[in-house]
Amino acid sequence: MGVAAAAARAALRPTAATLLLFSRPHQHRRATQHLPFARRRRHSYSSTATVAAPTPTLGDSGGEAPEPEGKAARRRRARESPEGLLRHQLDMCSRNADLPTALRLYDAAVSPESPVPLSLHHYNCLLYLCSNAAASDPDSSAAAAQRGFDIFARMEADGVQPNEATLTSVARLAAATRDPAMAFSVVRRMAAAGVPPRLRTYGPALFAYCDAKDADGAGQVEAHMDASGVVPEEPELAALLRVNADKARAEEVYRLLHRTRALVRQVCDTTAQAVEAWFRSDAASEAGVDKWDPRKIKEGVVRGGGGWHGQGWLGKGPWSVGTSEMDKDGTCQRCGERLVCIDIDPSETDNFASSLTELAIKREARDDFLCFQSWLRRHGPFDAVIDAANVGLYNSKAFSFSQVNSVVNAIQRVTKSKKLPLIILHRNRVSGGPAKVPFNQKILEGWRNAGALYATPPGSNDDWYWLYAAVSCRSLLVTNDEMRDHLFQLLGTSFFPRWKEKHQESEDGSWHVPTTTGDDIEKPRQWICSTRKSSK
């Protein structure tokens, strides 16, 4: 087995020769282009296949032919076959993280005395357990990795074609042996063979490079992710930040801070520690310019929608770093800087509107939401959208049409078009209860005549409608909704540009980064405040 594992490790290293992870010489073997990672199977067994007995004929039994086997019987026979029993046992091992038992089962299955054909599922369970043990248990890491490579070599020899899950486990085995180049080669060959890598597939190589303090290697993995359309999340960004900060690569840290700003709403404790460590470093003190063109900085702020300029580190010298809170107006209590509202990138708006439409159609009556979109095209766009149900109940036990109307009139006065804002209200509130009061009927009639009222149908969720209208019209949204319910978690609240959840880079070069500390509604959010000017 050791020879096979050595061959596996050698074949997994970056080469330009072939896509085959194993390439044993054979004089008469033909290329199998349809199997980019494995040879043809040497047998025709599947994970649940058994050798069927000859079908009896009338002459064999002297009676009638048996009835065809039903689906339930076939499933039961598959479960009770040697392959099916082994699958169940390995699944239980996987559930209980029981690698020793899984290896005993494997050794018995490949023994000549009572061989059991192994399927992709069998191999994936075994490789998953080996990679987990290799990554999490230092005492048995080397042995678990060795067994994993041995099992993968057997899988290749049997001609079982691996999938993304298989190769993710192999990449994890490589990372556990501190061989990031091998882990990365698995990902590259997957992509070249048309097997789309996922974020979890890139993780082993990326983290292994970062742990090895190889910023260049980590950068290559990040570039490959970008080319494959795989977006890093906070753990990957934090690892990249740390390795580039350790290497004093100021420009890369700057780029990654902005990428974190764009992709992460607020940073967890470990990421916050990496950010603070950078700003306290000597490299951060030396990074920057003494003089800059304020006009270019202002242009960058306008172009970026406010809250950042992206023109590089401004100033030189040590940073003053600490945690802070923002008051209700968004003013930092440590340095006195007031954060700004941030506009949304137009492409992000379009993507969000499309995602919102797809989700709304799945969860609302399709025709109802399509009718609303059609109505909005005829009557819009609107400068503002009002979540009337939320506004009408603000600080009130009963719904108040007068309160909504006051907000409508105030918004109308400050908009460019002086057009009434769009008022979204459920049909029940338009037709029953307080709506029957003559004064309220007059208010409703004025909204209808102005083409500014849309009554959502019974059974619908108003939130889908007012949110879609505000996004698609690029308009002001008036609501008291904190957007914490399942709908906004589903959509991804990172879209909303509130200063209380947005990293900011000011025009004088200061940085403010929101953290998850204080995520509780009852506690103020904590921010990392990094500035070269003296704090209060």
Side-chain angles (χ1 to χ4, degrees):
M1 288 296 187
V3 175
R9 293 171 62 84
L12 283 167
R13 295 182 183 280
T15 66
T18 177
L19 289 178
L20 289 173
L21 291 182
F22 291 88
S23 183
R24 298 182 179 84
H26 196 296
Q27 292 180 353
H28 304 293
R29 193 178 72 183
R30 298 178 62 186
T32 52
Q33 297 179 358
H34 67 296
L35 294 179
F37 293 100
R39 295 191 294 272
R40 293 183 184 274
R41 294 183 66 97
R42 294 177 179 173
H43 50 71
S44 59
Y45 291 108
S46 66
S47 61
T48 56
T50 58
V51 178
T55 303
T57 64
L58 289 174
D60 296 328
S61 62
E64 296 182 358
E67 295 183 2
E69 186 179 38
K71 290 183 179 179
R74 287 198 299 272
R75 285 197 297 267
R76 182 173 60 253
R77 183 161 58 86
R79 286 196 304 269
E80 295 172 355
S81 69
E83 300 98 311
L85 292 173
L86 178 60
R87 176 178 180 137
H88 173 72
Q89 291 169 321
L90 288 176
D91 284 343
M92 294 302 296
C93 290
S94 181
R95 181 182 302 176
N96 299 321
D98 186 357
L99 176 60
T101 300
L103 291 177
R104 285 196 296 272
L105 291 168
Y106 167 74
D107 290 337
V110 298
S111 67
E113 291 78 15
S114 55
V116 177
L118 299 178
S119 71
L120 175 63
H121 184 88
H122 295 132
Y123 280 116
N124 277 352
C125 282
L126 290 160
L127 290 170
Y128 171 77
L129 284 164
C130 288
S131 63
N132 267 5
S136 60
D137 188 352
D139 295 333
S140 61
S141 177
Q146 181 69 39
R147 288 306 305 269
F149 285 121
D150 288 343
I151 291 168
F152 185 59
R154 173 75 184 227
M155 178 181 177
E156 286 282 280
D158 280 351
V160 179
Q161 185 178 9
N163 62 8
E164 183 272 335
T166 315
L167 296 168
T168 295
S169 292
V170 175
R172 293 181 68 202
L173 290 171
T177 59
R178 294 178 173 81
D179 196 338
M182 185 199 301
F184 190 25
S185 96
V186 174
V187 182
R188 290 203 306 270
R189 295 181 186 192
M190 283 175 63
V195 181
R198 296 165 60 181
L199 180 60
R200 69 176 186 178
T201 320
Y202 283 101
L206 180 67
F207 294 126
Y209 274 123
C210 290
D211 291 342
K213 308 297 183 185
D214 187 344
D216 289 330
Q220 291 176 20
V221 178
E222 184 191 8
H224 201 282
M225 290 171 65
D226 292 343
S228 300
V230 177
V231 180
E233 295 181 355
E234 185 175 357
E236 291 76 24
L237 292 169
L240 287 164
L241 272 171
R242 280 192 293 270
V243 70
N244 281 282
D246 289 343
K247 293 294 183 179
R249 300 172 61 161
E251 291 184 3
E252 279 298 291
V253 172
Y254 185 82
R255 178 187 67 81
L256 287 163
L257 279 174
H258 272 296
R259 192 161 200 198
T260 303
R261 173 192 58 77
L263 296 176
V264 180
R265 284 172 49 198
Q266 52 204 17
V267 300
C268 67
D269 290 344
T270 54
T271 309
Q273 291 168 9
V275 173
E276 291 183 18
W278 160 254
F279 281 111
R280 290 192 172 100
S281 69
D282 293 338
S285 298
E286 297 168 2
V289 293
D290 291 320
K291 296 181 180 180
W292 59 89
D293 188 342
R295 290 177 300 176
K296 290 186 177 180
I297 302 300
K298 177 66 71 175
E299 289 172 2
V301 171
V302 173
R303 187 167 55 249
W308 64 280
H309 54 76
Q311 303 300 300
W313 300 113
L314 304 182
K316 279 184 177 276
W319 292 80
S320 173
V321 187
T323 58
S324 181
E325 298 174 2
M326 302 294 159
D327 65 16
K328 63 180 181 180
D329 296 319
T331 300
C332 177
Q333 299 300 287
R334 184 172 180 272
C335 69
E337 182 175 336
R338 184 174 182 180
L339 275 62
V340 300
C341 292
I342 300 172
D343 290 338
I344 303 169
D345 183 87
S347 62
E348 189 181 1
T349 302
D350 293 336
N351 293 337
F352 185 80
S354 298
S355 299
L356 181 59
T357 300
E358 292 176 6
L359 288 168
I361 288 175
K362 290 179 182 177
R363 286 161 175 77
E364 297 287 304
R366 177 184 175 88
D367 290 343
D368 288 343
F369 198 78
L370 292 178
C371 284
F372 171 65
Q373 289 181 308
S374 177
W375 182 93
L376 191 60
R377 284 192 292 269
R378 294 195 308 272
H379 292 82
F382 293 88
D383 292 329
V385 177
I386 295 181
D387 171 17
N390 202 292
V391 172
L393 289 169
Y394 180 69
N395 282 342
S396 178
K397 294 182 179 179
F399 183 82
S400 171
F401 278 95
S402 296
Q403 187 163 282
V404 176
N405 199 45
S406 296
V407 173
V408 168
N409 293 333
I411 294 297
Q412 182 185 22
R413 288 194 294 270
V414 299
T415 56
K416 294 180 180 179
S417 67
K418 303 303 178 185
K419 178 181 179 180
L420 249 62
L422 171 59
I423 302 129
I424 301 289
L425 200 57
H426 198 277
R427 191 174 297 169
N428 291 344
R429 293 199 182 277
V430 172
S431 58
K436 294 181 178 180
V437 176
F439 179 77
N440 293 337
Q441 287 182 344
K442 185 176 180 180
I443 292 175
L444 285 166
E445 192 63 27
W447 294 346
R448 288 194 186 96
N449 291 339
L453 174 66
Y454 191 86
T456 59
S460 65
N461 184 343
D462 296 3
D463 295 347
W464 293 108
Y465 292 80
W466 56 255
L467 182 56
Y468 175 80
V471 172
S472 60
C473 293
R474 273 74 165 172
S475 65
L476 175 69
L477 172 60
V478 183
T479 180
N480 191 47
D481 195 319
E482 285 290 333
M483 303 179 185
R484 288 191 175 90
D485 65 19
H486 67 282
L487 186 157
F488 301 102
Q489 295 300 320
L490 181 68
L491 290 168
T493 53
S494 60
F495 174 81
F496 297 98
R498 294 173 291 177
W499 60 261
K500 64 181 179 179
E501 291 182 342
K502 206 69 177 174
H503 313 228
Q504 297 214 5
E505 176 195 33
S506 66
E507 293 181 40
D508 65 2
S510 298
W511 280 79
H512 288 86
V513 180
T515 73
T516 53
T517 306
D519 228 4
D520 189 326
I521 188 174
E522 301 298 330
K523 299 177 182 178
R525 184 179 308 284
Q526 299 295 301
W527 290 69
I528 299 171
C529 169
S530 300
T531 178
R532 279 186 165 122
K533 62 186 178 183
S534 60
S535 60
K536 288 184 176 180

